[in-house]
Amino acid sequence: MLDIALHLRVDVDPLRAAQNDMGVCDAIERIAPGGEPADMSAPHVPKVAGIDPLVPPPAQTSAPAGAVIQDRLAGWVSDLTTLHELTERLVGTGTLDEALHEVVRAGAALVGARRGFAALEPADGLGPASTVGLGLAHADLGHLETVPRGSTAYGRILDGAAGSAPGTDTDGASPDLLHEEGLDPLHREVAARLGYAASYALPLAGPSGRLGAVVWLYDEPAEPGARRRHLASLYLRYATEHLARLLELERARARVATLTEGLLPRRLPRVPGVRMAVRHRTGPLGGGDWYDALPLPEGALGLVVGSVTGSGPGATAAMGRLRASLRAYAVMEGEDPVAVLSDLELLMRLTEPARSATALMAYCEPARRKIVFAGAGHSPPLIVGERRTEYAETTLSAPLGMLSCWEAPSVEITPHPGETVLLYTDGLLHRTGDPMDRAFARLHAAAAGVPAVLRDDPGALADHVLRTVLPGGLDEAEAAQDIVLLAARFN
């Protein structure tokens, strides 16, 4: 960050040595006297008519050196303050898209442009690649992408990323595009269509290589001055470091999400008499929430949601082991969910002694519209229908791994034709930010308020519930909890 002192002490000699790039020493050289004053060695001239010739008459002289130094120093402090404020705003961004938008906006203020865009294209080829614009619609960005890269300054920056020295500040200025000789005809056409006559591009380059480029567009022929270029270069030097950190975080999140999705069902099975949909999101650190839906003998269906304590790769791996074990137990004795969870609890005590887990299993017979539930410390399912929206009363029980021997009675319900049963993990309730009793009430109100036209589609019903319950949306960047919402509609 840029720290600005509240009190500044100015000495001419240190200033001349330290502020060479700000132009202060040049001003001192121009203003400083060249030698001993002439009147110190001039002969004495006698008085004439009462006028003392040694008193010099007033003269129109330039400003003293101290005033010039003060003005230059004030401008320097103003520039530092501006950079400090802009970098503070940049630090507040938590995602790549937010940071790129802020970089384009701040850079436009520094170089005096009204529009621009940033192209993220890491030189290592590992992605992600994206483009964000300022004052440019999605269609405008599409037009710009049709221009051959070799005819644009930012395209040359991106194409030369692999061979350029990291940390260089080479830029691309096109002060008068429409009158530029040799300009690609398509580039000229796009510039005329979008109404820009000049552009200025800078690389997003760091020690590990180039991440992309930023371009600002001018409505009239223009080019930023040396001071504006210097400020923009300093700002992008810090911005690139921030973007590099966010890029690594984004890649880590993508790897965790890929691993988690690989441990969960790729698709839900098709079972006569029931339609299903699931919505799942993994937190940035990765977690242990899981779900399953597996066909069982005689047209039955097993539905499971669960959550392992902790977060990160360890919790994800434990989730995968428990889910695989539960599938095996469900195939052997799925008609008795209590027996399945008892076997899983024994396995946890032997193989996962440092963890606990919650789980809710449903043994469904769609032809008879019969569901048998067994829960281990998990939230109760929610039944949503035309005439009722209510939580199914399941017995209170401890999570798996908390007691030396787990067992709880099962509960049987009969959904009416057209009713949907919602199974979910506690992450959905925690993401609301409310106490648990209010979170349950919010979920109930969201399910009760589903429009009639959406009730026949379990996917549309689940989406409506999530949009209503979650204040920041399903893809909220700062949310740490996993979410699972499994909807099963019985015909």
Side-chain angles (χ1 to χ4, degrees):
M1 297 307 298
L2 298 172
D3 297 326
I4 301 175
L6 297 179
H7 301 284
L8 298 174
R9 177 180 178 181
V10 180
D11 294 318
V12 173
D13 290 338
L15 187 65
R16 293 173 65 180
Q19 305 306 327
N20 188 39
D21 64 330
M22 302 303 293
V24 177
C25 60
D26 296 335
I28 295 175
E29 293 293 343
R30 290 195 300 270
I31 297 173
E36 192 176 29
D39 59 344
M40 295 296 292
S41 58
H44 178 73
V45 181
K47 291 183 179 182
V48 178
I51 299 177
D52 188 355
L54 295 181
V55 180
Q60 300 295 329
T61 60
S62 59
V68 175
I69 295 173
Q70 185 176 6
D71 291 343
R72 290 296 184 93
L73 189 57
W76 182 46
V77 172
S78 176
D79 291 343
L80 289 177
T81 303
T82 300
L83 290 176
H84 179 77
E85 292 175 352
L86 293 178
T87 52
E88 282 291 318
R89 290 177 58 93
L90 182 62
V91 169
T93 59
T95 65
L96 274 175
D97 277 351
E98 290 178 359
L100 287 172
H101 278 100
E102 178 59 27
V103 167
V104 179
R105 187 203 65 80
L110 291 175
V111 302
R114 188 173 61 89
R115 294 180 293 172
F117 65 94
L120 181 69
E121 191 175 308
D124 58 12
L126 300 179
S130 64
T131 303
V132 301
L134 171 70
L136 296 171
H138 184 72
D140 298 335
L141 295 176
H143 288 309
L144 289 168
E145 290 177 353
T146 63
V147 179
R149 287 165 63 111
S151 69
T152 63
Y154 83 93
R156 291 189 291 269
I157 291 174
L158 294 176
D159 290 341
S164 300
T168 57
D169 290 332
T170 55
D171 57 18
S174 300
D176 194 354
L177 271 173
L178 299 182
H179 295 87
E180 185 177 305
E181 295 183 3
L183 185 66
D184 186 272
L186 182 56
H187 192 180
R188 191 185 308 275
E189 177 184 345
V190 170
R193 177 181 300 177
L194 299 184
Y196 67 91
S199 66
Y200 181 63
L202 281 177
L204 292 170
S208 58
R210 296 192 190 275
L211 302 181
V214 191
V215 188
W216 296 280
L217 307 177
Y218 299 89
D219 298 340
E220 302 292 339
E223 185 177 4
R227 173 174 168 270
R228 287 182 177 270
R229 293 188 185 210
H230 183 60
L231 289 177
S233 176
L234 290 176
Y235 174 75
L236 287 190
R237 190 177 304 171
Y238 176 81
T240 303
E241 297 178 2
H242 183 66
L243 289 171
R245 291 190 291 269
L246 292 178
L247 178 64
E248 288 302 316
L249 180 60
E250 186 75 16
R251 288 176 174 178
R253 290 175 176 175
R255 289 192 291 267
V256 169
T258 301
L259 173 62
T260 303
E261 294 298 330
L263 295 174
L264 295 174
R266 293 183 177 272
R267 62 181 63 88
L268 296 175
R270 294 184 178 181
V271 177
V274 61
R275 296 170 57 196
M276 293 174 288
V278 67
R279 299 294 182 263
H280 173 248
R281 290 294 183 276
T282 302
L285 300 179
D289 287 15
W290 89 90
Y291 66 92
D292 210 341
L294 62 158
L296 298 175
E298 300 180 358
L301 172 69
L303 299 177
V304 185
V305 292
S307 178
V308 177
T309 56
S311 60
T316 303
M319 174 268 289
R321 292 190 292 268
L322 290 181
R323 174 181 171 267
S325 301
L326 189 143
R327 288 177 68 91
Y329 297 148
V331 170
M332 293 185 294
E333 48 190 6
E335 70 279 359
D336 186 359
V338 172
V340 172
L341 294 184
S342 297
D343 293 341
L344 190 64
E345 195 274 338
L346 176 61
L347 178 71
M348 279 198 64
R349 284 194 286 113
L350 296 176
T351 62
E352 308 283 348
R355 294 189 184 275
S356 62
T358 65
L360 178 67
M361 180 176 179
Y363 175 77
C364 309
E365 297 181 62
R368 300 173 55 191
R369 289 199 303 277
K370 173 186 174 183
I371 305 177
V372 179
F373 285 107
H378 206 83
S379 301
L382 182 60
I383 305 172
V384 183
E386 182 180 355
R387 298 183 179 180
R388 63 171 177 170
T389 299
E390 61 185 24
Y391 289 103
E393 294 185 4
T394 56
T395 57
L396 296 176
S397 60
L400 303 175
M402 298 289 289
L403 301 177
S404 58
C405 181
W406 178 91
E407 186 170 349
S410 59
V411 175
E412 180 178 327
I413 67 170
T414 302
H416 299 154
E419 288 189 333
T420 300
V421 178
L422 297 179
L423 283 69
Y424 52 92
T425 57
D426 290 343
L428 176 59
L429 303 174
H430 291 312
R431 278 206 191 187
T432 63
D434 293 335
M436 291 302 288
D437 55 343
R438 295 184 60 184
F440 276 114
R442 175 180 286 191
L443 176 59
H444 183 277
V450 175
V453 294
L454 302 180
R455 292 182 182 271
D456 292 339
D457 184 353
L461 187 149
D463 290 335
H464 177 86
V465 169
L466 290 173
R467 286 194 302 268
T468 306
V469 170
L470 299 181
L474 186 59
D475 296 316
E476 184 182 1
E478 300 301 324
Q481 300 87 3
D482 290 6
I483 284 182
V484 170
L485 178 61
L486 179 60
R489 183 184 185 276
F490 292 84
N491 298 334

